């Protein structure tokens, strides 16, 4: 039997090592794929939890929006009983009753339509006005801000057009407004003020949300966008995490820093013109 030469033995050793490395790489690739699947499942669960929390907030907001028209309708119904007792019901009374009732009913119907539009996700990225999206979030949340004595300063001129998902952007703004409101309430702040400023750079449209609620503990600044991190007793810790996910899905960024008397959140989203040019270059 002819003995194998040293070169042949070395070659076979190399082949064995190569096969071992391939097997290890395949194993690591499978582990990586498993982790990717787990992360996607985790993100799906987080998004569903956030949606449930958002639905709860939506129902509460609708309740606030409906309270006044329901009270008005209740008074109208009570007035019908008294008008009947005193013989005041005639065609003119019925016309006024119908007109005032329909005003309240139409207001309630518009509220439902506003919320349905607000929570309906956009399927494709499109150019949208950052100011208009912020206004929509403020319209939804205005009663809650007023209830807690929070003064909002928001002035914008022109139509700074960004490129992304306008409804999702409004939800991001709502998350930041909710966070500011909770900070004011938690710290029992007085003279509560929230300023919103829109600006732009060469490639991005920026929106700054500046409150005077005392700021965030420095050691917690790096954690505010982590999932399940919250300083509220009944908080889910998902609002700001989902904010970061949504903004990054639009190729944007969200940052937070402390000011002299509060916190400043900054949203930065690609301009419509810059984003469209980039897509044309990529094609």
């Amino acid at each position: 039997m002819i003995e194998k030469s040293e070169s042949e033995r070395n070659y076979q050793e190399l082949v064995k090592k190569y096969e071992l490395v391939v097997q290890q790489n395949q194993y690591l690739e499978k582990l990586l794929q498993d982790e990717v699947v787990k992360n996607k499942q985790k993100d799906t669960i987080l998004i569903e939890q956030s949606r449930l929390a958002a639905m709860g907030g939506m129902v509460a907001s609708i309740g606030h929006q409906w309270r006044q028209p329901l009270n008005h309708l209740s008074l109208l119904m009570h007035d019908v009983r008294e008008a009947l007792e005193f013989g005041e019901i005639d065609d003119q009374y019925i016309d006024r009753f119908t007109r005032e009732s329909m005003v309240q009913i139409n207001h309630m119907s518009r509220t439902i339509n506003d919320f349905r539009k607000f929570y309906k996700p956009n399927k494709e990225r499109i150019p949208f006005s950052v100011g208009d999206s912020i206004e929509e979030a403020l319209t939804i949340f205005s009663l809650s801000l007023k209830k807690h004595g929070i003064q909002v300063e928001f002035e914008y001129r022109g139509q700074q057009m960004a490129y992304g998902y306008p409804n999702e952007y409004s939800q991001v703004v709502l998350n930041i407004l909710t966070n500011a409101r909770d900070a004011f309430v938690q710290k029992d702040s007085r003279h509560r003020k929230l300023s919103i400023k829109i600006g732009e750079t060469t490639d991005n449209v920026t929106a700054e949300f500046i409150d005077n609620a005392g700021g965030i503990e420095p050691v917690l600044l790096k954690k505010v966008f982590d999932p399940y991190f919250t300083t509220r007793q009944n908080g889910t810790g998902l609002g700001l995490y989902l904010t970061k996910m949504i903004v990054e899905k639009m190729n944007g960024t969200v940052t937070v820093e402390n000011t002299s008397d509060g916190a400043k959140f900054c949203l930065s989203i690609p301009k419509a013109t810059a984003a469209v040019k980039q897509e044309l270059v990529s094609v």
Side-chain angles (χ1 to χ4, degrees):
M1 188 172 182
I2 302 174
E3 293 186 3
K4 294 180 180 179
S5 66
E6 185 176 353
S7 60
E8 288 178 334
R9 288 196 298 271
N10 289 339
Y11 173 76
Q12 291 179 350
E13 287 293 326
L14 287 174
V15 170
K16 290 180 181 178
K17 289 180 180 179
Y18 173 76
E19 291 175 348
L20 180 61
V21 169
V22 170
Q23 291 175 357
Q24 290 175 338
N25 286 340
Q26 290 175 342
Y27 175 71
L28 291 174
E29 185 177 354
K30 184 178 183 304
L31 286 180
L32 179 61
Q33 290 175 346
D34 291 343
E35 287 300 315
V36 169
V37 171
K38 289 179 182 178
N39 286 333
K40 286 183 178 179
Q41 291 173 342
K42 181 186 73 173
D43 288 342
T44 300
I45 293 172
L46 288 173
I47 291 172
E48 288 302 317
Q49 290 177 335
S50 177
R51 284 176 178 168
L52 289 174
M55 288 176 62
M58 179 179 69
V59 172
S61 296
I62 291 175
H64 286 301
Q65 296 277 6
W66 276 15
R67 184 168 288 114
Q68 183 175 347
L70 285 174
N71 287 338
H72 198 142
L73 286 172
S74 177
L75 291 173
L76 287 173
M77 296 298 178
H78 183 73
D79 188 68
V80 170
R81 169 58 63 183
E82 291 186 349
L84 179 63
E85 292 177 357
F86 290 96
E88 297 175 349
I89 295 181
D90 53 20
D91 289 343
Q92 185 178 0
Y93 180 92
I94 293 297
D95 288 343
R96 180 177 62 83
F97 173 82
T98 302
R99 184 171 59 254
E100 293 186 12
S101 297
M102 289 308 300
V103 168
Q104 304 306 319
I105 291 171
N106 287 335
H107 172 74
M108 296 168 70
S109 179
R110 284 195 304 272
T111 299
I112 290 294
N113 290 335
D114 289 343
F115 276 90
R116 286 179 63 187
K117 176 184 175 184
F118 185 82
Y119 282 99
K120 183 179 179 180
N122 298 108
K123 295 181 179 180
E124 296 180 357
R125 286 193 294 172
I126 59 173
F128 70 95
S129 166
V130 169
D132 289 349
S133 289
I134 293 175
E135 284 282 11
E136 288 189 9
L138 287 172
T139 298
I140 295 294
F141 209 59
S142 60
L143 285 179
S144 182
L145 294 172
K146 289 179 181 178
K147 177 183 177 182
H148 293 92
I150 302 171
Q151 177 187 357
V152 178
E153 295 180 355
F154 176 43
E155 290 186 9
Y156 70 95
R157 295 177 176 83
Q159 291 287 313
Q160 289 88 351
M161 301 298 291
Y163 192 70
Y165 307 96
N167 287 354
E168 279 83 345
Y169 187 89
S170 293
Q171 291 176 30
V172 163
V173 173
L174 184 62
N175 288 340
I176 294 177
L177 295 176
T178 302
N179 188 76
R181 179 202 63 188
D182 293 343
F184 282 121
V185 173
Q186 186 175 10
K187 298 181 180 180
D188 197 21
S189 304
R190 296 183 179 181
H191 309 295
R192 302 171 179 181
K193 185 173 71 173
L194 176 65
S195 299
I196 304 174
K197 300 178 181 179
I198 298 179
E200 52 186 313
T201 63
T202 304
D203 298 320
N204 298 305
V205 178
T206 61
E208 294 180 347
F209 301 80
I210 308 166
D211 64 56
N212 62 343
I216 302 169
E217 292 290 334
V219 295
L220 303 180
L221 272 176
K222 294 182 179 180
K223 299 180 180 180
V224 295
F225 297 112
D226 291 348
Y228 298 114
F229 174 79
T230 180
T231 58
R232 289 182 291 157
Q233 184 175 0
N234 297 317
T236 62
L238 293 175
L240 292 179
Y241 171 69
L242 266 295
T243 290
K244 183 173 182 290
M245 284 183 61
I246 292 172
V247 171
E248 289 180 350
K249 192 170 92 171
M250 292 188 277
N251 297 324
T253 59
V254 54
T255 59
V256 61
E257 62 182 76
N258 282 327
T259 63
S260 58
D261 57 359
K264 177 173 73 173
F265 284 84
C266 182
L267 303 176
S268 182
I269 305 294
K271 281 184 178 178
T273 51
V276 170
K277 285 181 182 178
Q278 182 62 38
E279 286 193 354
L280 290 175
V281 171
S282 301
V283 174

